[in-house]
Amino acid sequence: MHGQPEVRISFILFAAALSPLLGVLVLLVGLRLPASRAMALSYLITLGAGLFLWQMPPVTILAASIEGLAIAASVLWIILGAILLLKLLSEGKAMERIRTGFAALSPEPRVQLVVISWTFGAFLEGAAGFGTPAAITAPLLVALRFSPIGAVTLALVANSSPVAFGAIGTPVAIGLQEGLRQSNAPAGGFTLIEGAASTAAAIDLLAGSFIPWVLVLLYSRFFSQERSWKSGLAYWRFALFAGFAYTVPTFAVALLLGPELPTLLGALAAIMLVIPAAQRGWLVPRSDKAAPGPPAITRSSPLSLLRAWGPYLILAALLLVTRTDLLPIKHALQSASLGWDRVLGTTINIALAPLYLPGTMFLIAAISALFLLPFDHQKILRAGRDTVKITAASAMTLAAAVPMIRVFVHSSDNMAGLPSMPMSLASLAADAAGSSWMIFAPFIGALGSFLSGSATFSNMTFALFQVTAAEQASLQPEIVLAAQILGASAGNMVSVVNVVAAAAVVGLVGREGTIIRFTLVPMLAYTSTVGLLAIAFASVPG
């Protein structure tokens, strides 16, 4: 009997910490409210939990909301640049020319899907990360006559496994490392990080390699003309080849070179292997029953393929050059920052580097399009008008979503003596799971990314907690951290911030709930697979 009050309090605490997340899922996915309304209501739910249960100081809530608005502005900057680039490429007939190039590569949409969303998307993730892959690959898929809802869904599902070592290894090299520095890190901290990185890459050999086939199956069942699983099943050889073409070199790089370059070098290896296979029709079924691809455009175009791709190539080069430490450009751009330390006297700090943001690279690429493609004043004005209209529609959603997330995270500053809301969820789940924690560890990683849209943030927030939970349950910490890394990658499929940004680029503002309904099942399947594989790895002696 004496234990009943504690159980009741724990349940209330768990339910209260979960309420903002349930609010998002019920309002956005269940009731299908527009994201702007759903996120505004979820913000109010989080505000109520913070004020009345966690007893957060109002000034902390206000400071966290201001920080959220600053981060939302940086996301809007990406949306603005991505949409402007897309609209200029469309007005300048570059997207039409790109479509003919892909049709020449392969007329089959399933092959085009794997090449664009998986291999090219992984390269963009390795070079830049932070939401840029879906913002680029989704419009390319739309140009190939994929439906906008299908293009965004498939781009988000593809942008999962490569996130583990994206942005030149930032989620591990910075997120995990800083997370373990937040307190007394275990002995041999960097050795633990390297072990977790190589273990994550090893687990992903068996989990991430199937993602291209999942993409093909989702397309075949939900977005193709025939709406059938069968047509997707026929492409299993090509899809698995594309999967292993990325995961095998990624594992080798993680094992031999560390966590900075696995995604980038793995993606380059995949591009060199998958594109020739697509051109020659290797591993692709020959049956006439396979679904026909979009008809190739055979008329000649005055625009060369190189000029059509020029702005995208410039964008990829800018992202690659500004994200590596080989040149001093990265540090120079980061040093030109705007900041507000101790916002309203709290411990919250705001720092933005406008020149370093991916949105700036998108804008530079958009400006280059003005010189590479044929335009008149009407086309430029039309592109600018459409860009402002779509970006403004996304602003309301982000203005509520990101402050909600930051209040949720900063709830550690409270008068009730409670851990933050996300840490409360994780701690109570770990207490309930005990020695079965391995299966739940990746879901905590996914929770962090769902909240923030950043695997780096998820790893930074939960790394030390995962190690502590592993030690309490007598589990190998490097395997639990590997599950955290891959779970954080999976969470990008359903992150509200990423979904809003990708949806805006292809004109789907207000359809975010529909997108999450499609991406939620692949996210849960991938995360569950990672948890089961982590258990299997833990059972192997040595």
Side-chain angles (χ1 to χ4, degrees), residues 251-465:
F251 169 67
V253 174
L255 193 63
L256 299 174
L257 300 179
E260 286 85 3
L261 297 174
T263 291
L264 186 62
L265 296 184
L268 289 173
I271 288 171
M272 290 187 289
L273 292 170
V274 175
I275 288 181
Q279 288 175 321
R280 293 165 175 79
W282 292 342
L283 305 174
V284 172
R286 301 292 182 180
S287 172
D288 292 335
K289 295 181 180 179
I297 301 172
T298 56
R299 65 178 182 271
S300 61
S301 171
L303 192 65
S304 71
L305 193 59
L306 181 61
R307 286 181 65 192
W309 270 100
Y312 274 133
L313 295 175
I314 290 171
L315 174 62
L318 287 170
L319 291 172
L320 185 59
V321 169
T322 58
R323 265 64 189 166
T324 63
D325 292 317
L326 299 177
L327 297 172
I329 298 175
K330 175 180 178 179
H331 299 290
L333 295 178
Q334 288 178 328
S335 64
S337 63
L338 304 173
W340 184 359
D341 293 336
R342 300 186 60 81
V343 178
L344 303 179
T346 66
T347 58
I348 297 171
N349 300 317
I350 297 175
L352 294 175
L355 298 179
Y356 183 73
L357 290 174
T360 302
M361 310 307 152
F362 274 105
L363 286 175
I364 295 173
I367 293 171
S368 74
L370 298 176
F371 297 95
L372 293 171
L373 306 175
F375 287 108
D376 56 37
H377 291 297
Q378 288 299 320
K379 290 181 178 179
I380 296 174
L381 288 175
R382 188 159 55 239
R385 185 171 58 248
D386 291 345
T387 299
V388 172
K389 182 179 178 180
I390 296 172
T391 305
S394 304
M396 294 298 294
T397 301
L398 290 170
V402 188
M404 180 207 76
I405 291 165
R406 302 317 296 168
V407 172
F408 191 82
V409 169
H410 287 298
S411 55
S412 56
D413 181 7
N414 64 76
M415 304 297 291
L418 296 173
S420 67
M421 295 185 202
M423 196 60 71
S424 295
L425 286 174
S427 299
L428 292 168
D431 290 342
S435 60
S436 302
W437 178 246
M438 199 78 78
I439 190 70
F440 295 99
F443 288 92
I444 297 300
L447 168 67
S449 293
F450 171 78
L451 290 171
S452 65
S454 169
T456 300
F457 168 83
S458 179
N459 292 340
M460 194 178 297
T461 301
F462 292 118
L464 191 63
F465 164 77

Side-chain angles (χ1 to χ4, degrees), residues 1-14 428:
M1 296 293 292
H2 290 87
Q4 288 182 359
E6 293 184 5
V7 172
R8 189 177 297 113
I9 291 172
S10 296
F11 175 78
I12 293 173
L13 181 63
F14 184 83
L428 292 168

